[in-house]
Amino acid sequence: MKNRRLVLGIVYITIGLLLSVLSFTLVIDEWWQSFGIAIFIVGVADIFRHRKYVTNAEYREKVDLSNNDERIRFLSMKAWSWAGYAFVMIAALGVIGFQIAGLRIWSMACSFCVCLVMILYWISYVVLNKKY
């Protein structure tokens, strides 16, 4: 969490303000104004986190430990895998349920999501298998 966080925060704030101003002046759709505000808030939060990281040694140690601890990384990866499995199963059930309900567009959307995750899984597996 070096100065990169600070730079990203400034970039987020700039993009958020730009989107909000462009939306306010009706150059772009008004949906982008709320999106810009959200990005602005993320940028402010990043800057506050960076400031706390730089000024608070106890917080810095806690963040560094959580970024480098193997147990936390293992749990994080395990949580991602469980979330991925759950998503695929829920989307697959959605394909069947929406098809039975006659909602073909929703069924196709769920089907595309399942296919996309499976393709991404296969690509990741091939890349990681070559790397390790």
Side-chain angles (χ1 to χ4, degrees):
M1 209 164 148
K2 308 279 187 226
N3 287 333
R4 183 184 66 151
R5 238 335 142 196
L6 179 65
V7 172
L8 274 176
I10 293 169
V11 168
Y12 289 156
I13 288 173
T14 305
I15 291 172
L17 286 174
L18 181 67
L19 287 174
S20 295
V21 167
L22 288 174
S23 177
F24 184 73
T25 59
L26 301 175
V27 173
I28 57 177
D29 189 12
E30 63 187 35
W31 178 85
W32 291 101
Q33 184 173 15
S34 58
F35 188 71
I37 291 169
I39 291 175
F40 175 82
I41 292 170
V42 167
V44 170
D46 273 353
I47 288 175
F48 277 121
R49 261 187 274 150
H50 179 272
R51 184 171 179 264
K52 186 175 180 180
Y53 180 84
V54 170
T55 59
N56 189 340
E58 185 176 309
Y59 177 74
R60 180 174 43 250
E61 183 178 324
K62 181 181 172 185
V63 169
D64 289 343
L65 177 67
S66 70
N67 288 339
N68 298 322
D69 186 33
E70 295 218 11
R71 180 179 176 274
I72 292 174
R73 285 186 181 197
F74 170 77
L75 292 175
S76 174
M77 294 307 296
K78 197 66 146 169
W80 269 111
S81 68
W82 283 14
Y85 293 139
F87 176 80
V88 168
M89 291 302 155
I90 291 168
L93 289 174
V95 170
I96 296 167
F98 287 130
Q99 191 67 29
I100 290 171
L103 302 169
R104 290 186 180 237
I105 292 175
W106 287 96
S107 177
M108 288 296 290
C110 286
S111 178
F112 287 139
C113 288
V114 170
C115 289
L116 176 63
V117 170
M118 290 292 126
I119 290 169
L120 290 173
Y121 172 79
W122 179 76
I123 291 170
S124 300
Y125 181 81
V126 169
V127 169
L128 289 172
N129 196 24
K130 286 183 179 181
K131 186 174 182 179
Y132 298 106

